[in-house]
């Protein structure tokens, strides 16, 4: 079976590829010419089986190579097309955009060529699988849980990161947290992560077109979930558009059971876009009058704009019986019941500074129980109960 097709006038390179393929399953079919076929059909008609990998070796004109890559990207996107040559990084980006899946240094040795070919075969299999699932009936999408509040410093990041840890226990590696506080996001710090890639990479053209590329940009957290952190340079946030955020959340919801979104304070444009993609909104309020009033006005605006997600969870954070406000006062001001109350606790402040969310700890104090009650609200069994039970009154202790 010809898993590999090589087009090149360079017989020495042909020998190298042949040696590399002996370590892999399948054979190579070589065309010792510098002329590339007019389109995918012309090439495939000359073969008995469709190949998994096509290598365009030395001696092929670059514009012809890119033309063929573009055609294959449209006609047979599952086939991995590899270009062998010495190119500068700008050209490599251009080649990838055209549909080239990998670039091979022509001075590579047999082992290196074999490695690249093996990776190309794996990419082929993954894309085949994706095609098969794409042609199957659409699967249920995951929950997109956004954590919002008009005011800053009320505990959004604390709540979002603890939800991620809690859901990571229910659905290991089926959870991703996205930091959409693009300018001053601190999910990375709250989770003690030093990410190699950020939201900026995740909204790039290559990631938005290929979910496998997107997944390669996620950072794994040891508690069993993925994180997509904010860019380290606040000025880079300006480059991200609402359409890119909507696409990103849609892709992630197609891959993960739970997508958790931490947001910037207020109702910025990207926050509103995220809200429109959310199945669940977690509204966080502190136990102070400005925070409660802010939440009330925010919810009023969103009701008028008609962009309130289907399921609402109101979290009263930093609950304190001595704060001079009762739960009933707060509910009357917000115009909605408080679903979960999380006490003010030194352990939370401590956990932020250490970068270890409290739900990662073993002991169960009132703070941890509060977060657990919130996490439980995303458990399918809990959600199956009648709606009247969904907003039970909480007691402040
Ligand atoms: N329940 C709590 N008890 C004590 N401190 C808290 C609590 N929740 C949050 N904090 C602290 O408040 C600060 C702001 O929290 P953060 O989650 O970053 O808010 P936001 O994301 O809304 O700006 C952090 O230092 C955090 O440790
Ligand atoms: Mg925050």
């Amino acid at each position: 079976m010809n898993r590999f097709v090589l087009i090149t006038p360079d017989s020495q390179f042909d020998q190298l590829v042949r040696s590399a393929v002996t370590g892999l399953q399948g054979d190579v079919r070589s065309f010792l010419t510098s002329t590339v076929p007019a389109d995918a059909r012309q090439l495939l008609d000359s073969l008995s089986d469709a190949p998994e990998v096509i290598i365009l070796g030395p001696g092929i004109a670059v514009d012809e190579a890119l033309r063929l890559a573009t055609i294959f990207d449209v006609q047979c996107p599952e086939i991995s097309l590899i270009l062998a040559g010495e190119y500068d990084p700008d050209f490599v980006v251009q080649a990838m955009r055209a549909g080239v899946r990998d670039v091979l240094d022509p001075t590579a040795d047999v082992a290196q060529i074999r490695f690249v070919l093996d990776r190309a075969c794996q990419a082929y299999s993954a894309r085949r699988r994706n095609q098969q699932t794409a042609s199957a009936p659409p699967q249920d999408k995951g929950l997109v849980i956004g954590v919002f509040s008009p005011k800053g410093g009320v505990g959004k990041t604390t709540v979002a990161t603890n939800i991620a840890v809690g859901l990571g226990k229910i659905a290991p590696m089926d959870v991703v947290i996205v930091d959409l506080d693009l300018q001053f996001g601190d999910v990375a710090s709250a989770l003690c992560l030093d990410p190699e890639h950020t939201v900026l990479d995740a909204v790039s053209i290559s990631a938005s077109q290929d979910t496998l590329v997107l997944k390669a940009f996620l950072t794994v957290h040891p508690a069993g979930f993925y994180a997509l952190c904010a860019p380290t340079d606040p000025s880079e946030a300006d480059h991200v558009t609402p359409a890119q955020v909507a696409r990103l959340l849609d892709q992630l919801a197609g891959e993960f059971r739970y997508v958790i979104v931490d947001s910037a304070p207020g109702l910025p444009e990207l926050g509103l876009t995220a809200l429109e993609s959310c199945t669940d909104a977690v509204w966080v309020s502190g136990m102070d009058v400005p925070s409660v009033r802010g939440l009330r006005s925010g919810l009023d605006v969103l009701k008028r704009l008609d962009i309130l997600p289907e399921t609402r969870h109101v979290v009263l954070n930093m609950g304190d019986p001595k704060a001079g406000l009762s739960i009933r006062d707060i509910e009357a001001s917000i115009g909605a019941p408080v679903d979960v109350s999380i006490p003010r606790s030194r352990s939370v402040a401590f956990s932020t500074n250490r970068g270890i969310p409290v739900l990662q700890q073993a002991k169960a104090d009132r703070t941890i129980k509060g977060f657990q009650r919130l996490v439980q609200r995303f458990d399918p069994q809990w959600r199956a109960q009648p709606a009247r039970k969904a907003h039970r009154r909480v007691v402040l202790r």
Side-chain angles (χ1 to χ4, degrees), residues 153 155-158 179 181 184-187 262-265:
K156 286 181 298 300
T157 303
T158 307
D179 194 347
D181 185 352
F184 303 109
D186 43 17
V187 166
D262 188 16
S263 64

Side-chain angles (χ1 to χ4, degrees), residues 53-91:
V53 181
I54 297 173
I55 309 131
L56 300 179
I60 303 285
V62 161
D63 51 345
E64 278 293 280
L66 294 194
R67 182 186 61 78
L68 193 70
T70 311
I71 291 173
F72 266 84
D73 201 31
V74 176
Q75 295 182 340
C76 312
E78 71 283 10
I79 297 180
S80 297
L81 199 133
I82 297 176
L83 196 55
E86 259 180 282
Y87 302 110
D88 66 61
D90 283 348
F91 173 80

Side-chain angles (χ1 to χ4, degrees), residues 126-263:
R127 275 193 291 270
R128 269 308 283 257
R129 266 200 309 278
N130 272 1
Q131 276 182 344
Q132 279 153 2
T133 31
S135 53
Q139 286 184 326
D140 280 350
K141 291 223 160 190
L143 291 186
V144 182
I145 304 162
V147 182
F148 303 95
S149 86
K151 295 269 172 193
V154 296
K156 286 181 298 300
T157 303
T158 307
V159 166
T161 47
N162 276 289
I163 294 176
V165 172
L167 289 178
K169 293 178 189 170
I170 295 177
M173 302 323 276
D174 219 355
V175 178
V176 60
I177 178 168
V178 184
D179 194 347
L180 283 189
D181 185 352
L182 293 184
Q183 277 191 309
F184 303 109
D186 43 17
V187 166
S189 145
L191 293 173
C192 201
L193 292 174
D194 183 14
E196 214 172 301
H197 301 283
T198 70
V199 172
L200 271 192
D201 303 294
V203 299
S204 63
I205 295 175
S206 55
S208 71
Q209 288 176 350
D210 189 338
T211 306
L212 279 178
V213 176
L214 169 60
K215 284 180 91 172
F217 289 146
L218 306 179
T219 306
V220 177
H221 188 275
F225 62 91
Y226 292 91
L228 191 48
C229 301
T232 37
D233 178 354
S235 67
E236 292 181 329
D238 299 343
H239 304 304
V240 180
T241 66
Q244 287 176 320
V245 166
R247 168 73 188 143
L248 171 66
L249 296 180
D250 186 55
Q251 277 178 290
L252 292 175
E255 286 294 310
F256 293 92
R257 225 169 105 191
Y258 296 108
V259 181
I260 302 144
V261 180
D262 188 16
S263 64

Side-chain angles (χ1 to χ4, degrees), residues 152-155 158-159 284-292 315-325 327 330 340-352 358 363 365-371 373 395-397:
V154 296
T158 307
V159 166
V284 185
S285 174
M287 214 167 169
D288 54 288
V289 172
S291 172
V292 172
V315 174
L316 179 66
N317 189 27
M318 311 199 201
D320 182 352
K322 298 193 198 94
L325 282 177
I327 293 260
I330 293 170
V340 174
S341 159
I342 293 162
R344 180 183 289 281
S345 117
R346 218 178 298 154
S347 66
V348 175
F350 191 59
S351 79
T352 305
V358 286
K363 68 173 176 24
D365 60 9
R366 280 191 296 120
T367 313
I368 290 176
K369 283 196 181 135
F371 283 120
R373 263 193 296 278
V395 182
L396 200 60
R397 279 178 295 213

